[in-house]
Amino acid sequence: MMLGAEQLMIAAVSLMFFPIVAILCLTIVLASFGKSLGIRRTYVALLLRIFEFAGTKLAAHTTYEDESDSEDEDQEENPAESENGNGNGGHVIKRDFYLTVTRGLMRPEWEPFKKNFELSDICYFTKCGMEAIIEDDVTHRFNAGELASWNLLTRTNTGYQLTSARLTVLWCIGFLVRYCVLFPFRLILAAVAIIWLVVSTAFLGYFPPSPLKRSMYSRVSLMSFRIMARACSAVITFHNQENRVKNGICVANHTSPIDVFMLSCDNCYALVGQAHGGLLGLLQRALGRATSHVFFERSEVKDRHLVAQRLKEHVNDLDKLPILIFPEGTCINNTSVMMFKKGSFEVSTTIYPVAIKYDMRFGDAFWDSSKHGMVTHLFNIMTSWALVCDIWYLPPMQRQENEDAVQFANRVKREIAKQGGLVDLDWDGQLKRTQAKESWKQKPQEQYSNMLKVD
Amino acid sequence: MGTKSSMLLQEEEIEEIQRETGFSKNQIVRLFSRFTTLDKSNNGFLRREDFLRIPELAINPLGDRIVHSFFSESNDDTVNFRQFMRILARFRPVKKNSEKNKLNDRSEKLRFAFKMYDLDGDDLISRDELLAVLHMMVGANISEEQLGSIADRTIQEVDEDKDNKISLEEFVKAMAKVDVESKMSIRFLH
């Protein structure tokens, strides 16, 4: 009996072998030409319908639970919203005060009239502090974003799959499809993409710099990044492609290193960054052979003048590719745009902004580097449903005469946030790793002091 | 929404907290989610640095005092979820027909405000303590002498038994005309 089963397995696998190889080859060929059969988009549309179904099942279950505990709270907050679990958009409170480094305490009543000190003055700071403890603008930007309804991934919400039998079945099917069918496919594609990139750039590296080399690199890079995108089941919609950059500096909001793959499906960029080891280092060196990028050793990163100088040299050389920079300096969870570092805005007066927005329902693209490394992150992406994103090329922006680099950076950030539907924040993305500075207290202190009447 | 933490909140615990603080179940679950987000090392309790990791709190001039108020009820330098909720309960809005003796009535809110000034916890606000809190709020923008005269004037207006310190009763009297119910209440959503 065992032998019969073994024979059956061999026969089945060999029969499947040819169609699978055929599909892989078709994908690769299509990727090279930048064409698509539209299968991924149909798949995504189908997923949306399934999510809706799951959503209704969940809502039905949670309304039943919530009705059992009702206290006589004031019903001014929409009673209709409490049906959908928590329809408040994830908020616990309605904030009355905000505190920021640049604008101090934001409170409409605090006009510039002078008043005497009152014992009740501490209430403003106290209430603001307590509100911040309950809900602040920054802390949750460094965790994965919340979804309005479940997307059938336990990594997003545990326990939901146990809500109803149909959901459990759906989740199991989804799990099997993602891990046993999609993932092996995607892994092979990713391997092909990486090998192709490394090998072809190795050969290209032997050519001297020339227009021919540049155009060949362009073909090679587009091809491998497009295969890589298919390895993540990426459905990318590019908007306003007429604004695509040919030379100069391109800035974008940062969610994950995947951003580079997405952007490189449509255009070739020179990358800036720290030289890494491991897989990333291998890719960096491969890319570095075929065209010039701006990679720094760890020690050189601190030297801002050196960085600025290298960037300037690159930008001024019209034969070189446009530089892609992520001015936030770190990965944010794609619900907001944080402070842009002014470095790149000092180098060039023309900037080409790009806004990237991922649809979180199909998979979370955010790389939480404190939680997992690059390989785990790629694994997560390749076992999600898909990677759906919108990329907007914004028209180039010039630095005005009365603007300094910081104001210019803020202006560009505002445009990117507006286009991507992201929240525009003044906070520094480095707060992911470091504490807020003691000196940042100065603004609210100054503000309060200006209000006080002193003899 | 579900939480990703390894700690789960039991039904009984939710009900106890509900009775003690008056928060609704939904609010308790949301606040628990927040608690676990702040508890980065997944200890089941919060330390001072977990609070101060919130940038908006770290730049609040009274940030340290606010954090301190959470630890006033615990014996060590940790705050568990119950203690966390008990402090937050002070900031629930006051309802007209609610039961007496809850954590969010006017006297509790006033006591909380009083404790913000009372640095050493001896139930008296001394001139030095008032000066220290003023200093936190204005930074280096006002001179010591001017702050001193503000402190003196404030104590003089409020101090009835002439001990040059402000007791809780004197504080409550001084705040009689202040709308503490709204100044020390946060608008919780359901």
Side-chain angles (χ1 to χ4, degrees), chain B residues 61-174:
Chain B
L62 294 182
D64 287 324
R65 295 301 304 155
I66 298 169
V67 175
H68 180 85
S69 67
F70 280 90
F71 294 90
S72 60
E73 291 205 358
S74 83
N75 303 327
D76 52 14
D77 56 355
T78 64
V79 173
N80 65 24
F81 184 58
R82 293 290 282 274
Q83 293 159 337
F84 183 71
M85 291 302 279
R86 270 200 285 268
I87 301 292
L88 289 183
R90 305 301 205 278
F91 285 83
R92 280 186 62 237
V94 182
K95 293 294 168 300
K96 303 268 187 307
N97 303 321
S98 60
E99 308 149 30
K100 295 284 177 235
N101 207 23
K102 274 268 175 106
L103 288 173
N104 66 332
D105 61 14
R106 190 187 164 87
S107 69
E108 283 295 329
K109 291 185 197 287
L110 282 169
R111 190 194 299 268
F112 193 94
F114 180 81
K115 286 218 186 107
M116 292 291 287
Y117 285 108
D118 182 15
L119 299 174
D120 58 8
D122 65 352
D123 286 338
L124 291 167
I125 304 176
S126 69
R127 182 182 186 271
D128 286 335
E129 287 175 337
L130 187 53
L131 212 49
V133 174
L134 276 168
H135 212 281
M136 286 183 218
M137 292 199 280
V138 304
N141 296 296
I142 299 185
S143 75
E144 288 299 316
E145 300 92 58
Q146 288 169 323
L147 282 182
S149 65
I150 293 179
D152 286 328
R153 193 171 13 99
T154 311
I155 296 186
Q156 212 183 17
E157 282 170 5
V158 166
D159 186 19
E160 294 195 336
D161 58 9
K162 302 296 172 211
D163 62 350
N164 216 27
K165 297 189 195 204
I166 308 178
S167 68
L168 181 56
E169 294 81 42
E170 288 163 349
F171 185 80
V172 170
K173 262 203 178 150

Side-chain angles (χ1 to χ4, degrees), chain A residues 7-23:
Chain A
Q7 184 181 21
L8 188 58
M9 254 177 53
I10 296 174
V13 170
S14 347
L15 272 182
M16 287 199 305
F17 181 70
F18 287 108
I20 291 180
V21 168
I23 295 179

Side-chain angles (χ1 to χ4, degrees), chain A residues 4-55:
Chain A
E6 189 181 319
Q7 184 181 21
L8 188 58
M9 254 177 53
I10 296 174
V13 170
S14 347
L15 272 182
M16 287 199 305
F17 181 70
F18 287 108
I20 291 180
V21 168
I23 295 179
L24 281 173
C25 289
L26 183 63
T27 318
I28 293 173
V29 165
L30 283 175
S32 327
F33 290 105
K35 302 275 179 245
S36 168
L37 285 174
I39 298 181
R40 275 169 295 148
R41 285 186 195 269
T42 343
Y43 164 63
V44 160
L46 175 66
L47 278 178
L48 276 177
R49 294 238 294 275
I50 300 181
F51 292 163
E52 264 172 43
F53 169 73

Side-chain angles (χ1 to χ4, degrees), chain A residues 284-304:
Chain A
Q284 279 179 331
R285 288 192 300 277
L287 291 171
R289 278 179 208 118
T291 180
S292 50
H293 298 268
V294 189
F295 292 127
F296 296 97
E297 298 303 318
R298 235 162 238 273
S299 49
E300 291 173 320
V301 174
K302 293 276 157 65
D303 188 347
R304 290 193 42 216

Side-chain angles (χ1 to χ4, degrees), chain A residues 5-268:
Chain A
E6 189 181 319
Q7 184 181 21
L8 188 58
M9 254 177 53
I10 296 174
V13 170
S14 347
L15 272 182
M16 287 199 305
F17 181 70
F18 287 108
I20 291 180
V21 168
I23 295 179
L24 281 173
C25 289
L26 183 63
T27 318
I28 293 173
V29 165
L30 283 175
S32 327
F33 290 105
K35 302 275 179 245
S36 168
L37 285 174
I39 298 181
R40 275 169 295 148
R41 285 186 195 269
T42 343
Y43 164 63
V44 160
L46 175 66
L47 278 178
L48 276 177
R49 294 238 294 275
I50 300 181
F51 292 163
E52 264 172 43
F53 169 73
T56 47
K57 282 246 145 259
L58 270 179
H61 196 259
T62 41
T63 2
Y64 183 62
E65 264 182 21
D66 272 348
E67 275 168 19
S68 50
D69 58 60
S70 54
E71 214 185 63
D72 189 27
E73 305 282 353
D74 51 316
Q75 292 295 317
E76 46 167 289
E77 326 292 353
N78 329 0
E81 279 186 359
S82 52
E83 281 172 31
N84 190 13
N86 192 332
N88 295 319
H91 292 292
V92 193
I93 56 177
K94 252 205 167 103
R95 295 208 54 172
D96 281 326
F97 296 99
Y98 278 100
L99 193 56
T100 65
V101 184
T102 46
R103 282 172 281 184
L105 196 68
M106 313 229 275
R107 172 70 174 152
E109 268 165 34
W110 274 22
E111 284 133 31
F113 61 82
K114 294 268 194 187
K115 67 178 207 73
N116 280 317
F117 169 72
E118 290 165 305
L119 283 170
S120 60
D121 282 350
I122 52 148
C123 294
Y124 293 112
F125 292 114
T126 309
K127 180 166 163 176
C128 179
M130 292 304 266
E131 285 186 342
I133 289 178
I134 297 174
E135 194 174 293
D136 80 310
D137 248 345
V138 179
T139 312
H140 64 102
R141 308 283 175 199
F142 302 133
N143 302 324
E146 270 200 25
L147 286 172
S149 64
W150 194 37
N151 65 347
L152 295 173
L153 295 175
T154 43
R155 67 187 70 158
T156 325
N157 295 97
T158 43
Y160 273 23
Q161 74 272 28
L162 301 172
T163 323
S164 92
R166 272 189 232 176
L167 275 185
T168 316
V169 166
L170 211 51
W171 176 76
C172 279
I173 298 179
F175 184 85
L176 286 170
V177 165
R178 279 182 298 121
Y179 280 83
C180 304
V181 175
L182 292 176
F183 179 62
F185 249 127
R186 291 172 176 169
L187 195 57
I188 298 175
L189 280 177
V192 168
I194 294 178
I195 293 174
W196 170 244
L197 185 68
V198 171
V199 165
S200 52
T201 49
F203 277 106
L204 266 186
Y206 288 119
F207 286 68
S210 62
L212 176 66
K213 182 177 179 184
R214 189 170 155 166
S215 95
M216 281 179 62
Y217 171 69
S218 158
R219 299 232 119 259
V220 160
S221 122
L222 283 174
M223 224 175 102
S224 29
F225 284 117
R226 281 177 184 153
I227 300 177
M228 193 69 204
R230 276 165 173 71
C232 308
S233 292
V235 179
I236 316 175
T237 315
F238 290 99
H239 304 263
N240 308 336
Q241 279 168 302
E242 65 275 7
N243 291 325
R244 228 177 347 195
V245 57
K246 299 193 183 38
N247 280 103
I249 296 189
C250 175
V251 303
N253 56 312
H254 202 23
T255 311
S256 152
I258 301 277
D259 294 338
V260 173
F261 300 160
M262 302 289 113
L263 288 172
S264 304
C265 286
D266 196 45
N267 198 357
C268 292

